[in-house]
Amino acid sequence: MKELQFRRHRRLRQTANLRAMVRETHLHVEDLIYPIFVVEGEQVKQEVASMPGVYQLSLDYLNDEIAEAVELGIKSVIVFGVPKEKDEVGSQAYCEHGIVQQAIRQMKANYPELVVIADTCLCEYTSHGHCGVVENEQVLNDPSLELLVKTAVSQAKAGADIIAPSNMMDGFVAAIRQGLDEAGFAHVPIMSYAIKYASAFYGPFRDAANSAPQFGDRKTYQMDPANRLEAFREAESDVREGADFLMVKPALAYLDIIRDMKNHFHLPLVAYNVSGEYSMIKAAAQNGWIDEKAIVLEMLTGMKRAGADLILTYFAKDVARWLKEK
């Protein structure tokens, strides 16, 4: 019988050390951005019902949370605020003593080397739950930009290292860049939520941030999940307007978009492993249907392989522990 001619790919898979030697994609603790929800009041540590292990924290609990993250080697956090009072124009978003501004000052005072990212949006602060100024149930673009600039500047004044606008208003990067520069914060980078889809994966976040829209939806300003080429247009605009990072949100159902952005642009790329992705895995793990650790590490490695340089994930502390074990 004639000898078969074929390649033996399995030769490089024989042992754990051999597989590690040729591994192409690596997940590091430095890749992780840890989201934190801060609320007003005292002695508040409220678990989000739809996000097991994720808490709304008052400032008196914040130091312990940050200390744990830093001890695990996490280098960066992003802070979301949940105010007691909301109004039509989201004034607590840009208040000097707003909950996010207070949290930023506290974190930077105690952990000056920690990279603190401020989510810059209005939806958590508006009574209607939309990301801008509303008139006759329409979200107005240009008046919203003025409030977003005020928010970004107030966050930079509080000590934020990075401003991360997530509102999806047209021109938001240009407006915020100009506002930061004029206020003396030309050194503060912008991490743009450049490609943010109108996704069904955001539901649990709206529980955590108390930010569900009170009417309609966000499809007039967030992107249609069916669109790919639109992502290029959005990212190109933000790059021209001065973005320093680009973000794709969500991540798991949009790995093709992450790869597109990585291939086409040369800014650091962030994947947002969103709340719905987190909650699905948590629910399945709690039912004993999956191996949570194995699934999470495989999923985040897939995001890195797709092209993400950084991953914003609610699993950050768990992943940091698992990587230490390895």
Side-chain angles (χ1 to χ4, degrees), residues 292-305:
E292 180 179 349
K293 174 182 174 181
I295 290 284
V296 171
L297 292 177
E298 181 177 341
M299 176 179 64
L300 299 191
T301 300
M303 293 171 192
K304 284 291 300 290
R305 189 183 64 245

Side-chain angles (χ1 to χ4, degrees), residues 78-80 117-122 124 131 144-145 147-149 151-152 155 162-169 171-177 180 188-196 238 241-249 272 312:
I78 185 166
V79 58
F80 300 93
I117 306 165
D119 177 76
T120 306
C121 197
L122 301 176
E124 299 108 301
C131 303
S144 301
L145 294 179
L147 301 185
L148 292 164
V149 170
T151 301
Q155 293 168 337
I162 299 172
I163 297 299
S166 60
N167 53 87
M168 288 299 285
M169 297 295 112
F172 70 100
V173 173
I176 289 172
R177 183 71 274 158
L180 289 173
V188 174
I190 295 175
M191 179 183 287
S192 172
Y193 286 64
I195 301 99
K196 183 177 180 180
D238 288 3
E241 293 171 17
D244 300 282
F245 302 78
L246 296 175
M247 186 186 296
V248 176
K249 179 184 181 185
Y272 195 148
L312 200 165

Side-chain angles (χ1 to χ4, degrees), residues 38-41 81-95 97-102 121-129 209-211:
V38 290
V39 299
E40 297 186 61
V82 185
K84 279 185 178 179
E85 297 180 4
K86 303 187 179 192
D87 56 33
E88 287 291 307
V89 293
S91 59
Q92 286 299 304
Y94 43 86
C95 175
H97 302 293
I99 184 60
V100 161
Q101 288 77 2
Q102 292 182 60
C121 197
L122 301 176
C123 61
E124 299 108 301
Y125 307 92
T126 54
S127 52
H128 46 72
N210 298 347
S211 64

Side-chain angles (χ1 to χ4, degrees), residues 66-243:
I66 297 300
E68 182 182 20
V70 169
E71 177 64 25
L72 288 168
I74 293 170
K75 309 295 184 187
S76 58
V77 300
I78 185 166
V79 58
F80 300 93
V82 185
K84 279 185 178 179
E85 297 180 4
K86 303 187 179 192
D87 56 33
E88 287 291 307
V89 293
S91 59
Q92 286 299 304
Y94 43 86
C95 175
E96 181 181 351
H97 302 293
I99 184 60
V100 161
Q101 288 77 2
Q102 292 182 60
I104 293 170
R105 291 189 189 98
Q106 182 172 317
M107 286 188 283
K108 293 303 294 184
N110 290 290
Y111 297 94
E113 298 304 314
L114 182 70
V115 176
V116 176
I117 306 165
D119 177 76
T120 306
C121 197
L122 301 176
C123 61
E124 299 108 301
Y125 307 92
T126 54
S127 52
H128 46 72
H130 281 281
C131 303
V133 175
V134 169
E135 186 176 293
N136 298 321
E137 296 197 351
Q138 298 294 316
V139 180
L140 305 182
N141 195 89
D142 295 7
S144 301
L145 294 179
E146 297 178 19
L147 301 185
L148 292 164
V149 170
K150 291 175 66 174
T151 301
V153 170
S154 73
Q155 293 168 337
K157 285 181 177 177
D161 297 292
I162 299 172
I163 297 299
S166 60
N167 53 87
M168 288 299 285
M169 297 295 112
D170 291 337
F172 70 100
V173 173
I176 289 172
R177 183 71 274 158
Q178 180 178 329
L180 289 173
D181 292 354
E182 291 177 353
F185 296 104
H187 62 285
V188 174
I190 295 175
M191 179 183 287
S192 172
Y193 286 64
I195 301 99
K196 183 177 180 180
Y197 285 92
S199 173
F201 283 95
Y202 301 153
F205 174 91
R206 292 170 184 171
D207 295 337
N210 298 347
S211 64
Q214 298 304 299
F215 66 88
D217 52 42
R218 294 174 178 151
K219 293 180 180 179
T220 64
Y221 45 103
Q222 295 177 0
M223 289 172 51
D224 186 336
N227 290 355
R228 172 175 174 261
L229 296 180
E230 186 180 7
F232 289 93
R233 298 196 295 272
E234 287 281 358
E236 284 168 356
S237 294
D238 288 3
V239 171
R240 285 198 307 270
E241 293 171 17

Side-chain angles (χ1 to χ4, degrees), residues 46 52 65 133 157 196 200 215 280 282 302 315 321 325:
Q46 177 67 42
E65 185 72 8
V133 175
K157 285 181 177 177
K196 183 177 180 180
F215 66 88
M280 288 191 303
K282 281 292 185 182
F315 288 111
R321 292 188 190 98
E325 291 171 5

